[in-house]
Amino acid sequence: MKVHYLEDFEAGQRFEGASRIVIERDRIKSFAAEFDPQLFHLDERAAGDSIFGGLAASGWHTAAVTMRLLVDSDLKPAGGIIGLGFEESRWPRPVRPGDELRVQSEVLEVRASKSRPDQGLIRVRFTTLNQNNEAVQVSVGTLIVRSRPTK
């Protein structure tokens, strides 16, 4: 896949991920046991009585899966996917066992650094979708991207 330097990006560009990841029941529970041990992520009976009405993956599990999908996608900033920060992160619907997730990215803004001519920033909306094309995570973040080397 082609690596993209700062100069290759422009607002409105979209990148698709070809990879898909199926979320397995056991992985929901094992991730939750280690990182987000709330009953609606661990116990199906308790989850049925929760706001989710059934077992749901932790949002942080979804975020970790999203990162993997991004690395495998055609969004290839020079230097890697290096986040400066996120201004927004939402989980509009729960991720369930058996959901198949994929990611889309849209460049919102490109900005050269005034103090570091070898890099700049891109602001990107990352949308993680399930098999029904429903957004399960939407994040807006800023990535640091290398400028094209001068010869």
Side-chain angles (χ1 to χ4, degrees):
M1 286 224 162
K2 179 185 174 194
V3 172
H4 302 279
Y5 289 95
L6 182 69
E7 296 80 6
D8 299 325
F9 288 104
E10 59 184 52
Q13 271 180 309
R14 293 178 180 267
F15 296 89
E16 294 286 329
S19 294
R20 297 181 185 315
I21 294 177
V22 175
I23 305 302
E24 298 171 359
R25 181 178 315 281
D26 291 344
R27 293 286 288 147
I28 289 173
K29 291 179 181 184
S30 65
F31 183 95
E34 187 169 358
F35 300 109
D36 190 355
Q38 299 185 78
L39 284 179
F40 41 80
H41 301 315
L42 294 167
D43 179 271
E44 293 174 62
R45 193 170 311 172
D49 293 333
S50 76
I51 191 170
F52 297 110
L55 192 67
S58 168
W60 302 114
H61 184 177
T62 304
V65 169
T66 297
M67 186 66 207
R68 177 55 198 240
L69 291 167
L70 282 172
V71 169
D72 292 344
S73 78
D74 57 357
L75 175 68
K76 297 286 186 212
I81 299 175
I82 302 171
L84 185 62
F86 284 88
E87 60 192 73
E88 176 184 332
S89 203
R90 299 181 291 113
W91 296 282
R93 65 185 37 80
V95 171
R96 307 290 188 176
D99 279 355
E100 183 179 79
L101 304 185
R102 63 187 177 87
V103 69
Q104 295 177 334
S105 305
E106 179 184 4
V107 177
L108 302 175
E109 180 183 353
V110 179
R111 194 171 65 221
S113 173
K114 292 176 181 155
S115 62
R116 296 184 174 187
D118 62 330
Q119 67 187 35
L121 305 171
I122 61 171
R123 197 165 144 258
V124 183
R125 176 182 303 114
F126 307 103
T127 304
T128 308
L129 301 155
N130 65 17
Q131 67 280 359
N132 300 317
N133 213 33
E134 300 166 322
V136 296
Q137 179 177 295
V138 179
S139 301
V140 175
T142 302
L143 304 179
I144 300 169
V145 182
R146 287 178 167 166
S147 297
R148 182 168 275 106
T150 55
K151 298 189 180 200

